[in-house]
Amino acid sequence: MNDDQTVGLTSQQVSALHKSHGWNELPQTAGPSALRILLRQFTNVLVVILVIAAAIAFVAGERIDTIAIGVVIFLNGALGFVQEWRAENALHALRNMLSPQATVLRNGRQLQIPARDLVPGDIILVATGDRVPADAALIEQTALSADESALTGESVPVSKDSDDATILMGTNIVEGRGMARVTDIGTQTQFGEIALLTGSVIPRQTHMQQQLGQLARQLGAAALMIGAGVMLLGLLYGRPATEMFMTAISLAVAMVPEGLPAVVTITIALGAAALVRQHALTRRLQAIEALGAASVICTDKTGTLTENKMTATRIWTPQEQYQITGTGYDPAGYIAAGQAKRRASNDPLLAQLLAVCAGCNNATLQHDRTGWTMIGSPTEGALITLAYKGWAPLPDPENILDERPFNSDRKRMSVLRQTADGPQVFTKGAPEKLRDLCSEILGPDGPVPLTDAGRAEIDAAYTALAENGHRVIALATAPAPDGILREEGLVFLGLVGIIDPPRPEIPDAVAQAHSAGARIIMITGDSPVTAKAIAQSVGLQPDWVITHDALAAMSDADLADGLAQDMLIARAQPADKMRIVSLLQKQGQIVAMTGDGVNDAPALEQADIGIAMGIRGTDVAKDAADLVLLDDNFATIIAAMREGRRQFDNLRKFVRYLLSSNAGEVVAILCNILIGGPLIFLATQILWMNLITDGLTAVALGLEKPEPGQMKDPPRKINAPVLGWSGFAMIAVFGVYTGLCSLWIFWQLLPVDETLARTAAFTAMVAFEKFSVFAFRSLRSPCWKIGLLSNPFLLLALVVTLGAQVAAVYWPPLQSLLHTTALGWAEWQMIGLFCLPLILLPELIKTIRITGDSNGT
Ligand code: ATP
């Protein structure tokens, strides 16, 4: 191998190449520009209606109304713009975090860098599951094949097993590994000519958004009909046409929750941004909401429930048992049999075993000022560290003749190497698979035939290690005089027990998932005994442990029955995940599924919530997933689930809140028309209430913290209506109360002065809407239970909006815009009095309810 192939480019060369070739990037699928977001605010039907209203007011000579409507259109647009801009920024940050990475050799070191930094001439390393970051010419490869369907549409993987083949940007490595020299970057690549960079956040509408969209459309249609009906009725009674038109418009505006879409968008986007801080990256926005409703979580074991920091602590051979000291990938430690330290040089049987540990291994250890780091798979990292601890000679990378890489289906790996005694096969893998490939076992005087008794002895040792939670790898070897790699007739050398401790936060997360009514199914490639031991140590109590072989033999019907219990699938193959997801979904379950490998992608796509691992996961799995866990941690799934529930709860709260405010206005306007009074609210006043003051309060409501009991409820049905009967009842009660109270105030003051009466009714409605928000902060707990000050945004929103209302009543410019007049102490007292039950009654009812509940349990 040339020097530049082991060293790669130097930093100076890289910066010179950046200057001449630029960066490895494609024109981004940029989010909408600020101007587009701004324009979007003025293109909806509401604005069109308002513009028509303003035009009619202008023609009718109502200058001030025209200005007022103009101001409302402007303020509403500005508010919408600020919210959407924030949401867009949050999404943009997510997109950036999803940018692809590349493994590169530079200055003699292997590094992970953003794919954008690659330059022509860089030496890149690719392995199974990687997305190729640039066009490159292969220098060397092992069993490499790539899925080029993104470029060619051809779904059969293309073998790259000639050393002069090229790999292309945007394609996926599905097997093997290789080293290649970058030839083209960015728009120069074949991919650059036809596609845009992946890693976008896909803005599909969430279920809730679809439901709300439907609700808004229905309300809109109803509003138009009622508005038209009222106008007709008014005209029949001989009321002036302009006045009736304005009333009809006000009514329509009052009925449609205009603030809703903006509030929903911002809540979801801010929720996604909040999740990044908890290490979960949302790729599809609907995932968080769906996760809140998840009823089954299928999870991997290694790295998700465990730390994925592997340390070999035991070796078993038929002759000897060894203990190993030290932790992690620091080779400071030793191998001991009883009290005696052992090394490759003083223990020939151990030497053979360690030769396989080092020789059938792609991991490397590197040492720098910060200590030891491992590059490669943690299992192999543990074995190479073991070889270091036993002072085993490290094999020459040049003497590899052939390799059959590890994959999750085969569960083993073999390498054919040139040794002093001729070509030799080194194999390692799952013990029960490997022992069946062995015909001999290494004895003190060399290989002897492997008998049934010998197999039983291996099995017993394997079970004993696994019962202690060890991940067990078997090692075997065989000469291959003909230079052909065969995984048969091997000599069994021994077992290595590796510990991978459970993450400390898992038992708590498991308990939370259980109390939230979500079942957990562990699906792991590890052995049933190890998997069960780990499961129990994190609080899972699987009633049924089944392996891939048994699963494959079962009919769908039998398996579906079994899936109803707490279970664990061991020695699983990726295709099992797909079968499990489909069966669970047929039972109506909402399934979250984790995965990291290339073959997990279909199951991740099929699951309601596909979750890929950020650290361990391949690019292919991440691309297929809805959610990426930046820390690979199961506890993060539960945090995201909590966020999903919080979001859904809060969306429900503010839908009820906004609709109950609108209902109050509609009740007041309709009843007033029926009893024949003059307009109770002017069009501009209604717009002010709905667009300026309600929107702010609703956004603040969306920022409510998760409620204590939220993770104790069973998962909601995904099709559960946003409102339901209780929602409608709540809206009706609040609507009727606030509508009738403001009507009463209006009629009470009408004999005194019409403008005063209207100002008081208008201010009363705003105050009612503001103070009723406390009832919606929690749909189950009284405010004193969730903390009076726990949502400072809401208090701020109240101060700002009530302040704005005071200005609307006393500040002359707003007075003339909104046709108001100053209120006296008596009017304020009246309003305050009607506010009291709105604040106190819901609290009282909720207090009685929770006291009743806690007495009942
Ligand atoms: P999970 O599916 O929970 O992530 P896992 O990491 O144990 O579990 P796999 O990576 O598919 O699943 O490994 C399955 C089995 O294959 C392991 O239990 C081990 O016996 C064997 N194995 C794992 N890594 C290697 C490797 N690099 N070489 C040979 N055998 C391996």
Side-chain angles (χ1 to χ4, degrees):
M1 202 184 279
N2 300 336
D3 218 24
D4 68 334
Q5 289 170 7
T6 51
V7 177
L9 299 177
T10 62
S11 309
Q12 289 87 340
Q13 286 172 316
V14 171
S15 35
L17 283 161
H18 270 315
K19 284 204 184 89
S20 56
H21 289 81
W23 299 86
N24 180 31
E25 58 192 358
L26 300 175
Q28 278 271 1
T29 28
S33 67
L35 187 67
R36 264 206 24 216
I37 297 179
L38 187 67
L39 290 180
R40 204 152 65 191
Q41 308 305 319
F42 299 100
T43 52
N44 60 29
V45 187
L46 172 76
V47 173
V48 176
I49 298 180
L50 289 181
V51 169
I52 297 175
I56 292 185
F58 182 75
V59 172
E62 302 279 355
R63 287 280 150 75
I64 295 197
D65 270 7
T66 318
I67 298 175
I69 297 177
V71 170
V72 166
I73 295 177
F74 171 77
L75 280 182
N76 182 50
L79 215 76
F81 172 76
V82 171
Q83 294 185 358
E84 272 200 45
W85 180 245
R86 281 184 67 192
E88 216 24 81
N89 276 342
L91 294 183
H92 186 71
L94 288 189
R95 276 188 208 113
N96 280 347
M97 296 189 74
L98 284 162
S99 63
Q101 299 281 311
T103 309
V104 66
L105 200 65
R106 281 186 184 167
N107 302 310
R109 292 184 69 86
Q110 200 171 310
L111 306 168
Q112 278 278 341
I113 59 166
R116 175 178 185 273
D117 284 357
L118 285 178
V119 287
D122 257 328
I123 305 287
I124 53 168
L125 299 158
V126 290
T128 312
D130 284 354
R131 167 144 297 181
V132 179
D135 285 3
L138 279 170
I139 300 169
E140 59 176 44
Q141 54 78 33
T142 309
L144 195 74
S145 63
D147 168 3
E148 298 191 336
S149 55
L151 280 180
T152 60
E154 173 58 68
S155 58
V156 180
V158 184
S159 170
K160 298 281 176 184
D161 58 5
S162 68
D163 280 352
D164 58 353
T166 51
I167 48 174
L168 301 170
M169 181 190 213
T171 62
N172 297 323
I173 303 297
V174 289
E175 180 89 70
R177 59 200 171 83
M179 182 191 264
R181 185 190 307 280
V182 173
T183 50
D184 288 303
I185 59 168
T187 43
Q188 305 296 313
T189 60
Q190 289 196 26
F191 189 64
E193 286 161 19
I194 60 162
L196 291 168
L197 215 57
T198 57
S200 56
V201 177
I202 298 153
R204 223 191 297 162
Q205 279 208 327
T206 72
H207 210 271
M208 177 92 173
Q209 277 176 311
Q210 285 168 9
Q211 275 192 32
L212 289 178
Q214 200 183 352
L215 184 73
R217 277 193 298 279
Q218 285 165 354
L219 283 173
L224 281 182
M225 268 155 45
I226 295 181
V230 165
M231 185 159 163
L232 228 80
L233 211 71
L235 292 179
L236 281 180
Y237 278 93
R239 291 275 185 90
T242 333
E243 184 194 306
M244 276 333 289
F245 180 75
M246 282 302 174
T247 312
I249 295 260
S250 328
L251 200 65
V253 171
M255 275 191 70
V256 182
E258 296 83 9
L260 204 55
V263 178
V264 174
T265 314
I266 186 123
T267 305
I268 294 175
L270 290 186
L275 269 183
V276 173
R277 289 191 287 279
Q278 303 190 37
H279 310 294
L281 207 61
T282 315
R283 291 196 67 243
R284 297 191 178 91
L285 289 178
Q286 73 272 31
I288 312 175
E289 186 195 305
L291 194 54
S295 54
V296 182
I297 306 174
C298 299
T299 176
D300 294 340
K301 168 181 73 69
T302 311
T304 314
L305 298 175
T306 65
E307 304 246 19
N308 210 15
K309 288 194 189 119
M310 303 213 186
T311 313
T313 59
R314 296 269 186 280
I315 299 175
W316 176 90
T317 66
Q319 285 73 40
E320 199 82 79
Q321 289 191 43
Y322 304 82
Q323 294 80 43
I324 299 108
T325 63
T327 51
Y329 304 113
D330 183 343
Y334 58 86
I335 304 176
Q339 297 302 317
K341 284 191 187 172
R342 296 291 181 84
R343 287 181 172 186
S345 55
N346 63 15
D347 185 333
L349 298 185
L350 178 68
Q352 292 211 38
L353 184 134
L354 295 180
V356 180
C357 288
C360 180
N361 201 317
N362 292 317
T364 50
L365 295 185
Q366 288 183 356
H367 188 252
D368 58 21
R369 262 171 292 143
T370 56
W372 288 88
T373 47
M374 190 277 299
I375 297 174
S377 97
T379 306
E380 299 195 349
L383 294 175
I384 195 80
T385 313
L386 176 66
Y388 272 70
K389 287 177 182 170
W391 294 80
L394 294 182
D396 181 353
E398 295 288 296
N399 68 21
I400 296 184
L401 303 175
D402 198 0
E403 178 178 333
R404 245 180 247 165
F406 168 78
N407 73 33
S408 298
D409 285 335
R410 284 169 18 90
K411 301 201 175 7
R412 62 177 183 271
M413 161 181 177
S414 296
V415 174
L416 181 70
R417 282 183 178 272
Q418 187 64 46
T419 67
D421 304 326
Q424 184 88 15
V425 177
F426 296 112
T427 303
K428 70 178 194 313
E432 71 276 24
K433 305 258 170 201
L434 218 66
R435 71 150 152 57
D436 292 342
L437 306 174
C438 292
S439 53
E440 293 179 308
I441 185 165
L442 191 64
D445 306 317
V448 292
L450 179 59
T451 59
D452 285 347
R455 290 210 166 87
E457 206 188 337
I458 294 173
D459 286 352
Y462 169 31
T463 310
L465 282 169
E467 274 171 349
N468 285 325
H470 280 92
R471 179 180 178 81
V472 190
I473 305 284
L475 304 149
T477 188
D482 55 1
I484 295 177
L485 197 173
R486 283 196 200 86
E487 289 177 329
E488 58 188 34
L490 302 173
V491 180
F492 190 90
L493 297 175
L495 302 170
V496 175
I498 297 175
I499 54 158
D500 176 17
R503 292 173 182 264
E505 59 276 32
I506 301 302
D508 191 37
V510 165
Q512 284 191 45
H514 281 158
S515 83
R519 276 192 302 127
I520 299 171
I521 297 181
M522 185 201 274
I523 305 184
T524 175
D526 215 332
S527 82
V529 185
T530 310
K532 190 168 178 192
I534 299 284
Q536 285 170 339
S537 73
V538 297
L540 293 170
Q541 301 296 344
D543 298 327
W544 190 34
V545 177
I546 185 170
T547 60
H548 163 79
D549 295 341
L551 199 78
M554 282 179 92
S555 71
D556 277 357
D558 289 346
L559 184 55
D561 285 346
L563 285 176
Q565 50 193 317
D566 277 343
M567 64 175 307
L568 184 163
I569 303 167
R571 289 294 184 227
Q573 298 199 353
D576 298 335
K577 291 189 171 178
M578 187 65 178
R579 190 166 167 218
I580 300 288
V581 175
S582 312
L583 284 177
L584 285 168
Q585 283 176 330
K586 273 196 199 127
Q587 296 175 353
Q589 308 282 0
I590 304 294
V591 188
M593 166 70 77
T594 68
D596 49 13
V598 199
N599 302 338
D600 289 338
L604 294 184
E605 262 168 23
Q606 172 72 29
D608 298 279
I609 312 105
I611 304 171
M613 302 300 143
I615 307 172
R616 217 158 20 99
T618 55
D619 297 341
V620 180
K622 288 182 205 167
D623 256 14
D626 302 300
L627 200 72
V628 179
L629 303 182
L630 296 175
D631 57 358
D632 289 11
N633 191 342
F634 178 81
T636 305
I637 303 179
I638 305 304
M641 188 171 178
R642 197 177 313 121
E643 171 60 25
R645 289 191 169 198
R646 185 191 72 87
Q647 257 186 30
F648 185 80
D649 258 20
N650 286 358
L651 286 170
R652 246 174 23 153
K653 288 173 199 170
F654 64 60
V655 170
R656 287 177 187 210
Y657 170 68
L658 279 179
L659 291 184
S660 76
S661 299
N662 291 2
E665 295 161 24
V666 173
V667 167
I669 296 173
L670 272 184
C671 293
N672 186 50
I673 290 180
L674 287 180
I675 51 180
L679 282 188
I680 176 166
F681 307 126
L682 300 178
T684 46
Q685 294 173 346
I686 295 177
L687 296 179
W688 171 267
M689 286 193 264
N690 286 357
L691 301 182
I692 312 299
T693 68
D694 275 3
L696 258 186
T697 325
V699 171
L701 204 54
L703 296 173
E704 277 295 331
K705 298 205 170 57
E707 287 185 39
Q710 197 173 277
M711 288 296 275
K712 296 209 172 81
D713 287 345
R716 66 165 208 280
K717 296 261 171 305
I718 198 79
N719 289 325
V722 183
L723 283 174
W725 283 115
S726 65
F728 281 117
M730 202 167 171
I731 292 168
V733 170
F734 275 85
V736 168
Y737 177 82
T738 55
L740 293 185
C741 288
S742 37
L743 193 65
W744 191 84
I745 294 177
F746 181 63
W747 280 88
Q748 223 33 43
L749 297 173
L750 207 51
V752 185
D753 174 57
E754 191 178 317
T755 310
L756 180 75
R758 193 172 289 128
T759 309
F762 164 48
T763 306
M765 198 48 141
V766 171
F768 295 158
E769 287 173 3
K770 296 309 109 183
F771 286 111
S772 64
V773 76
F774 293 107
F776 294 87
R777 284 191 61 202
S778 161
L779 299 178
R780 63 189 116 204
S781 311
C783 282
W784 55 263
K785 194 102 198 265
I786 53 173
L788 279 175
L789 305 178
S790 65
N791 184 356
F793 301 103
L794 188 71
L795 298 179
L796 188 71
L798 285 193
V799 171
V800 171
T801 48
L802 285 172
Q805 185 61 24
V806 171
V809 173
Y810 296 105
W811 191 42
L814 275 182
Q815 273 183 339
S816 53
L817 268 187
L818 293 164
H819 303 280
T820 55
T821 179
L823 293 180
W825 183 231
E827 287 85 49
W828 283 112
Q829 269 180 330
M830 206 184 314
I831 295 171
L833 216 61
F834 282 117
C835 282
L836 276 184
L838 267 183
I839 305 173
L840 298 180
L841 271 181
E843 298 304 309
L844 195 69
I845 294 172
K846 283 192 241 176
T847 307
I848 295 171
R849 254 209 341 233
I850 61 161
T851 331
D853 282 354
S854 57
N855 287 345
T857 50

